[in-house]
């Protein structure tokens, strides 16, 4: 099975997960809360940009094949 289309379809979720992990590391490693708002905004912005990019190129592979998904044909 080729995993590349599945990982590409899950790119926005992976970006959000990476941001969550970075926020946790930042909170654990830092004595004072610093940059958490900026990191959160960058993470959400990157995930939104990835989702918009996937939509703009017409990417319609389901991240979880065989499960519920929404594509152009089902949203009519």
């Amino acid at each position: 099975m080729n995993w590349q289309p599945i990982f590409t379809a899950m790119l926005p979720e992976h970006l959000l997960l990476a941001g969550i992990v970075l926020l946790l590391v930042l909170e654990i490693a830092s004595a004072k809360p610093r940059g958490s708002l900026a990191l959160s905004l960058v993470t959400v912005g990157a995930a939104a940009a990835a989702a918009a990019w996937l939509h703009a190129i017409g990417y319609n592979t389901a991240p979880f094949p065989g499960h519920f998904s929404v594509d152009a044909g089902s949203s009519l």
Side-chain angles (χ1 to χ4, degrees), residues 15-30:
L15 290 172
L16 288 174
L17 179 62
I20 290 169
V21 170
L22 287 174
L23 281 171
L24 287 172
V25 169
L26 182 67
E27 287 296 319
I28 291 170
S30 175

Side-chain angles (χ1 to χ4, degrees), residues 12 15-16 42-54:
L15 290 172
L16 288 174
V42 167
T43 301
V44 170
W53 173 71
L54 288 173

Side-chain angles (χ1 to χ4, degrees), residues 29-58:
S30 175
K32 299 180 208 175
R34 296 184 195 177
S36 59
L37 177 63
L39 181 59
S40 299
L41 292 176
V42 167
T43 301
V44 170
W53 173 71
L54 288 173
H55 175 72
I57 65 171

Side-chain angles (χ1 to χ4, degrees), residues 1-14 49-65 69-75:
M1 176 175 203
N2 188 4
W3 290 95
Q4 192 271 337
I6 295 171
F7 286 136
T8 302
M10 292 179 63
L11 180 63
E13 290 87 355
H14 287 155
W53 173 71
L54 288 173
H55 175 72
I57 65 171
Y59 199 81
N60 62 359
T61 300
F64 303 104
S69 64
V70 176
D71 60 1
S74 65
S75 49

